[in-house]
Amino acid sequence: MTGRADRTNDTTGRRAAFARWKALGSRYALIPLRLFLGITFVYAGLDKLTDSAFFAADGSGSIGETMRAVRDSSAIPGLVDLALKSPAGFGYAIAFGELAVGIGTLIGLYARVAALGGALISLSLWLTVSWQVNPYYLGNDLAYLMAWLPLLLAGASELSADRLLADRRRRIS
């Protein structure tokens, strides 16, 4: 009889341990995505800000040249035309936007707002720069847009400034 009780307790213990690991995994599941997107967007923003050719209206590697190259094949040529009115201004907006989104995502500060910003940047790039990529799944901007959605929906509940601020508000009230 003792052997059967030991097996039952062992099985119950393994199930409880599995349930704990599963709960822990669920709590921290979005952290690798936050790290990837945050680092990628910080890098993209810094890469643009340190590339003097990027902000030019024309020339190799410039935002102006890129926008003119994709204008006729984009889903929203009007957005491209708007960017072409001030290529440097548009380039700075994208670069600083990527930087802000990346930092907000990494530290988890206003994480849903950062995710919305990242999704909007990715959406605008998909509809302009990578719209003509065929088949669609080879364009990376659509994949980034989809990657932002879980963070937009769930926010950054673990290891985040948002969590620290929420805990502080609960302690104060």
Side-chain angles (χ1 to χ4, degrees):
M1 207 62 150
T2 312
R4 184 176 213 183
D6 288 341
R7 281 192 303 268
T8 302
N9 287 339
D10 189 43
T11 302
T12 303
R14 278 185 278 166
R15 285 184 185 151
F18 179 73
R20 284 191 301 275
W21 275 103
K22 187 176 172 184
L24 188 65
S26 294
R27 283 180 55 198
Y28 293 97
L30 292 179
I31 290 176
L33 186 60
R34 276 181 49 209
L35 289 172
F36 171 74
L37 290 171
I39 290 168
T40 300
F41 269 58
V42 166
Y43 178 81
L46 290 175
D47 189 46
K48 289 173 181 66
L49 290 170
T50 58
D51 181 2
S52 59
F54 177 76
F55 296 105
D58 51 26
S60 180
S62 71
I63 186 71
E65 180 181 298
T66 301
M67 292 291 103
R68 280 189 292 285
V70 301
R71 191 224 176 264
D72 293 333
S73 61
S74 76
I76 307 176
L79 183 59
V80 177
D81 290 338
L82 182 64
L84 284 170
K85 289 183 183 202
S86 177
F90 181 74
Y92 279 109
I94 291 292
F96 282 116
E98 287 173 337
L99 197 55
V101 162
I103 291 169
T105 301
L106 282 174
I107 64 174
L109 182 61
Y110 299 112
R112 284 190 170 106
V113 174
L116 177 62
L120 290 174
I121 290 170
S122 297
L123 176 64
S124 67
L125 292 174
W126 176 55
L127 293 173
T128 56
V129 178
S130 61
W131 182 255
Q132 76 284 355
V133 174
N134 191 13
Y136 75 91
Y137 52 81
L138 293 178
N140 63 345
D141 295 310
L142 180 59
Y144 280 103
L145 172 60
M146 294 298 116
W148 284 111
L149 295 180
L151 293 177
L152 181 60
L153 295 170
S157 60
E158 297 297 328
L159 301 177
S160 69
D162 287 347
R163 176 66 174 259
L164 292 173
L165 292 171
D167 289 348
R168 184 172 181 209
R169 281 190 298 267
R170 273 194 294 276
R171 281 193 309 267
I172 292 171
S173 52

